[in-house]
Amino acid sequence: MIVALLNQKGGVGKTTLALNLAGEWARKGKRVTLIDADPQGSALDWSGQRSHEALPRLFGVIGLARDTLHREAPEIARNTDMVVIDGPPRVAALMRSALLAADLALIPVQPSPLDGWASAEMLALVTEARIYRPELVARFVLNRCGTRTVLARETAETLVDHDPPALAVTIGQRVAFAAAAQSGRLVCELDEDTPAAREIATLADAIERLGIGRVTP
């Protein structure tokens, strides 16, 4: 499966989710490659920090911030179980290429009306991509939210009936994500029995239950 985390809006937690999902699937024994398609290269920086800390390699991280991604990612997928694309904000050509490569477009949003409005352009790109890849699946994932806040609950309820809909799993605003990233780690490596680690594991399971994949010749 090729999963692309995409949103035109920056700061919604795409890289954090991409890294931790890749790590969760790697922990399950899957062969995983993460493609850093963001010109800022945050996932590559994380990988470099991990090497500096002499931590074991869990999955490959490669930089492919170019609009040929839709041709290159499927080739990479031939030799892996999961490809995770950390997409760029505000670079339409790269996002179009990532959408054409993906089996699942995961759109992280925060519980804010501003995030909903900012997603309109992203959804237009999904609609455009489906002209060429009608099998493309898209889902919102509610990220960086206080699970007990009224706004988070209302946003989740609104997105249930949206097209695309939201996954039932929500990811909280937790300092563990930033603490792990600073040292090239994942939240599960800090402590498997924390809300952050459990939420990532639940999100990974929810994505797998969608039953999405591709048959490569």
Side-chain angles (χ1 to χ4, degrees), residues 42 54 62 69 113 131 144-146 154 156 187 201 209:
S42 298
I62 60 176
L69 192 57
I131 296 172
R144 292 181 173 173
C145 60
E154 289 178 347
V187 288
R209 285 198 300 272

Side-chain angles (χ1 to χ4, degrees), residues 43-65:
L44 286 169
D45 290 342
W46 174 89
S47 182
Q49 181 62 29
R50 189 172 181 87
S51 297
H52 180 73
E53 298 283 339
L55 295 168
R57 181 178 177 272
L58 296 177
F59 53 86
V61 180
I62 60 176
L64 271 179

Side-chain angles (χ1 to χ4, degrees), residues 165-176:
L167 292 171
V169 184
T170 60
I171 306 296
Q173 174 77 310
R174 307 193 186 281
V175 295

Side-chain angles (χ1 to χ4, degrees), residues 132-147:
Y132 305 98
R133 293 202 67 234
E135 69 274 22
L136 173 66
V137 176
R139 292 290 187 273
F140 282 106
V141 58
L142 200 56
N143 191 33
R144 292 181 173 173
C145 60
T147 54

Side-chain angles (χ1 to χ4, degrees), residues 116-186:
W117 297 331
S119 296
E121 190 172 354
M122 180 69 237
L123 295 179
L125 291 173
V126 170
T127 300
E128 177 186 300
R130 281 175 168 162
I131 296 172
Y132 305 98
R133 293 202 67 234
E135 69 274 22
L136 173 66
V137 176
R139 292 290 187 273
F140 282 106
V141 58
L142 200 56
N143 191 33
R144 292 181 173 173
C145 60
T147 54
R148 296 181 182 178
T149 65
V150 173
L151 185 57
R153 186 174 65 252
E154 289 178 347
T155 305
E157 290 171 354
T158 300
L159 290 175
V160 165
D161 297 321
H162 200 281
D163 181 24
L167 292 171
V169 184
T170 60
I171 306 296
Q173 174 77 310
R174 307 193 186 281
V175 295
F177 288 112
Q182 286 176 354
S183 59
R185 288 173 170 84
L186 305 167

Side-chain angles (χ1 to χ4, degrees), residues 9-217:
K9 188 176 185 295
V12 294
K14 292 188 299 293
T15 300
T16 297
L17 288 180
L19 288 169
N20 282 279
L21 282 171
E24 181 63 26
W25 284 317
R27 288 175 68 236
K28 291 182 175 182
K30 296 184 182 295
R31 298 168 301 164
V32 183
T33 297
L34 187 146
I35 296 175
D36 190 341
D38 188 341
Q40 291 184 354
S42 298
L44 286 169
D45 290 342
W46 174 89
S47 182
Q49 181 62 29
R50 189 172 181 87
S51 297
H52 180 73
E53 298 283 339
L55 295 168
R57 181 178 177 272
L58 296 177
F59 53 86
V61 180
I62 60 176
L64 271 179
R66 50 182 182 248
D67 56 13
T68 55
L69 192 57
H70 59 288
R71 293 197 295 269
E72 297 176 74
E75 288 299 317
I76 294 169
R78 289 175 183 272
N79 299 311
T80 61
D81 300 308
M82 306 291 294
V83 173
V84 180
I85 300 174
D86 179 22
R90 299 178 295 275
V91 185
L94 278 174
M95 294 183 72
R96 285 188 177 96
S97 190
L99 283 167
L100 291 175
D103 301 305
L104 170 65
L106 202 60
I107 308 168
V109 290
Q110 296 179 103
S112 162
L114 293 176
D115 263 30
W117 297 331
S119 296
E121 190 172 354
M122 180 69 237
L123 295 179
L125 291 173
V126 170
T127 300
E128 177 186 300
R130 281 175 168 162
I131 296 172
Y132 305 98
R133 293 202 67 234
E135 69 274 22
L136 173 66
V137 176
R139 292 290 187 273
F140 282 106
V141 58
L142 200 56
N143 191 33
R144 292 181 173 173
C145 60
T147 54
R148 296 181 182 178
T149 65
V150 173
L151 185 57
R153 186 174 65 252
E154 289 178 347
T155 305
E157 290 171 354
T158 300
L159 290 175
V160 165
D161 297 321
H162 200 281
D163 181 24
L167 292 171
V169 184
T170 60
I171 306 296
Q173 174 77 310
R174 307 193 186 281
V175 295
F177 288 112
Q182 286 176 354
S183 59
R185 288 173 170 84
L186 305 167
V187 288
C188 64
E189 293 178 296
L190 297 182
D191 187 344
E192 291 184 22
D193 191 26
T194 60
R198 290 195 296 270
E199 286 169 355
I200 290 295
T202 303
L203 177 59
D205 288 343
I207 292 170
E208 290 183 66
R209 285 198 300 272
L210 293 174
I212 301 165
R214 65 174 62 205
V215 176
T216 54

